[in-house]
Amino acid sequence: MFAKATHVGFAQRVVATLVASAMVLWSIGLYTTAQAANLTLISDTLSDSDLSVTSGHTIAFTIPTASTLGAASTFTITFPAGFTGVNTVTGGDITVTVNGGAAAQDSLTAVGEVLTLSLDTTANATEEVVVAIADGKITNPGTTGSYEIAVVTPTDTGKTRVAIIDNVLVTAVVETTFNFTITGLATSTAINGTSTTGSTTPTEIPFGVLTAGQIKTLAQRLNVTTNAKNGFVVTVEQDGNLQSSTGADIDGFADGAYDDTPAAWANPSNSLLDENTYGHWGLTTEDGNLQGATDFTAANTWVSASTTPRVVMAHNGPSDGTTFTVDSTGDDVGQTDIGYQIEITPLQEAADDYNTTLTYIATPTF
């Protein structure tokens, strides 16, 4: 038996192919799909990433090429489980910008963990939309972790993440410092409008032999270095009048009145029947700001040395041990000079052992 060759022409093969294709399409249906694009540069910046605290959210995203977010078109922002308070957000809690310009909200609903918004402004391709949610509304989860936030527009989607973590406590210790020194000063040292007539040491103020009608002035320098936040105060007090073993004494300025308001120097009044007027001594300071105590605001003014502490130096913050002013009109931050002045009359009782002890007390306030 022989097979008979059958010749099929090209046109017949084309027709057959089209018929077959039509049958396939008829059986499965012809369809197309529209692929949603990804929002780009999407982020959520928190104002606080700590656990269980309220935080502001600044959610930014860029419309992809060939897409738009039309005016009045709704889009959603969905927070994951763990964030609370989303449903309390109102239009007044949100500000929106499109391409850097303010955009008003057409609508806002907050249900569960989803915000649904529409704007009065169209966001075109490559333009950035920023939705800022004020702090005080949405509370962060109480568990550390990475949390996904989704933004969905009618045509595009995007997801970003935020990290919720414990705050980092930074601690440090600065050791306290406080140094107080007393230095003697030489003859002819300027001191609050006058000058010294002799020299001192850190532990001695030697007036020497006193002559009636002759003023003697001596001084010491005080230096304070501290990192005390609230500064320091230095006071001085005597353990009693300048007194001799005979019981005679040289009283406090002026004429034994123990003045505590600075006043110009005055000579002892030398009243025969009042031994308080035979001689007196006093002190002055070049620190013009005693932080609440009575200031020595004028040159050559004095108060009495006293068994009551007198403030002679003060500052309300850290000091460097060197900064000072040249007179009593300014604040001596770290250094000042204290002057002591004495004068007697011919009636002052004779004795060769007048003495008293001065005590400086320096107190920092940290």
Side-chain angles (χ1 to χ4, degrees), residues 8-82:
V8 180
F10 175 75
Q12 292 171 306
R13 289 198 302 271
V14 170
V15 171
T17 300
L18 291 174
V19 170
S21 297
M23 294 295 292
V24 170
L25 291 175
W26 174 79
S27 63
I28 65 175
L30 177 64
Y31 68 94
T32 60
T33 60
Q35 179 65 48
N38 288 327
L39 297 170
T40 62
L41 302 177
I42 182 169
S43 64
D44 181 7
T45 303
L46 303 178
S47 63
D48 193 337
S49 61
D50 194 15
L51 304 175
S52 301
V53 299
T54 61
S55 174
H57 292 255
T58 302
I59 300 166
F61 56 91
T62 299
I63 304 301
T65 303
S67 291
T68 60
L69 175 59
S73 296
T74 60
F75 64 100
T76 60
I77 300 173
T78 302
F79 290 83

Side-chain angles (χ1 to χ4, degrees), residues 56-260:
H57 292 255
T58 302
I59 300 166
F61 56 91
T62 299
I63 304 301
T65 303
S67 291
T68 60
L69 175 59
S73 296
T74 60
F75 64 100
T76 60
I77 300 173
T78 302
F79 290 83
F83 285 88
T84 59
V86 177
N87 62 329
T88 68
V89 175
T90 65
D93 302 317
I94 293 179
T95 57
V96 183
T97 61
V98 173
N99 202 31
Q105 303 165 49
D106 274 344
S107 64
L108 169 69
T109 58
V111 177
E113 293 163 337
V114 181
L115 299 177
T116 303
L117 302 89
S118 64
L119 308 177
D120 70 347
T121 304
T122 294
N124 295 307
T126 74
E127 292 184 340
E128 182 184 51
V129 178
V130 177
V131 179
I133 305 170
D135 191 4
K137 302 299 292 187
I138 301 176
T139 301
N140 292 341
T143 304
T144 60
S146 175
Y147 292 84
E148 186 178 79
I149 294 170
V151 178
V152 178
T153 74
T155 57
D156 309 304
T157 62
K159 295 178 181 179
T160 186
R161 284 185 173 271
V162 294
I164 303 301
I165 57 174
D166 275 321
N167 282 345
V168 177
L169 176 65
V170 180
T171 64
V173 175
V174 177
E175 297 291 348
T176 59
T177 61
F178 188 72
N179 295 300
F180 175 51
T181 60
I182 304 169
T183 306
L185 292 177
T187 304
S188 301
T189 299
I191 177 72
N192 197 16
T194 186
S195 61
T196 59
T197 58
S199 62
T200 63
T201 72
T203 58
E204 188 175 4
I205 300 174
F207 283 116
V209 177
L210 302 178
T211 301
Q214 182 184 66
I215 297 173
K216 284 196 170 184
T217 307
L218 302 177
Q220 291 180 315
R221 177 162 293 167
L222 310 182
N223 298 85
V224 176
T225 303
T226 185
N227 61 356
K229 179 182 183 299
N230 297 296
F232 63 90
V233 173
V234 179
T235 62
V236 64
E237 58 189 278
Q238 63 180 10
D239 66 353
N241 288 335
L242 272 166
Q243 192 167 21
S244 77
S245 59
T246 66
D249 65 1
I250 300 175
D251 292 280
F253 179 79
D255 284 342
Y258 296 93
D259 293 344
D260 60 6

Side-chain angles (χ1 to χ4, degrees), residues 245-291:
S245 59
T246 66
D249 65 1
I250 300 175
D251 292 280
F253 179 79
D255 284 342
Y258 296 93
D259 293 344
D260 60 6
T261 299
W265 184 261
N267 307 121
S269 59
N270 196 34
S271 177
L272 179 61
L273 300 180
D274 185 359
E275 64 88 15
N276 290 342
T277 68
Y278 296 171
H280 54 217
W281 76 304
L283 63 87
T284 190
T285 177
E286 289 210 327
D287 190 348
N289 186 350
L290 297 179
Q291 303 299 325

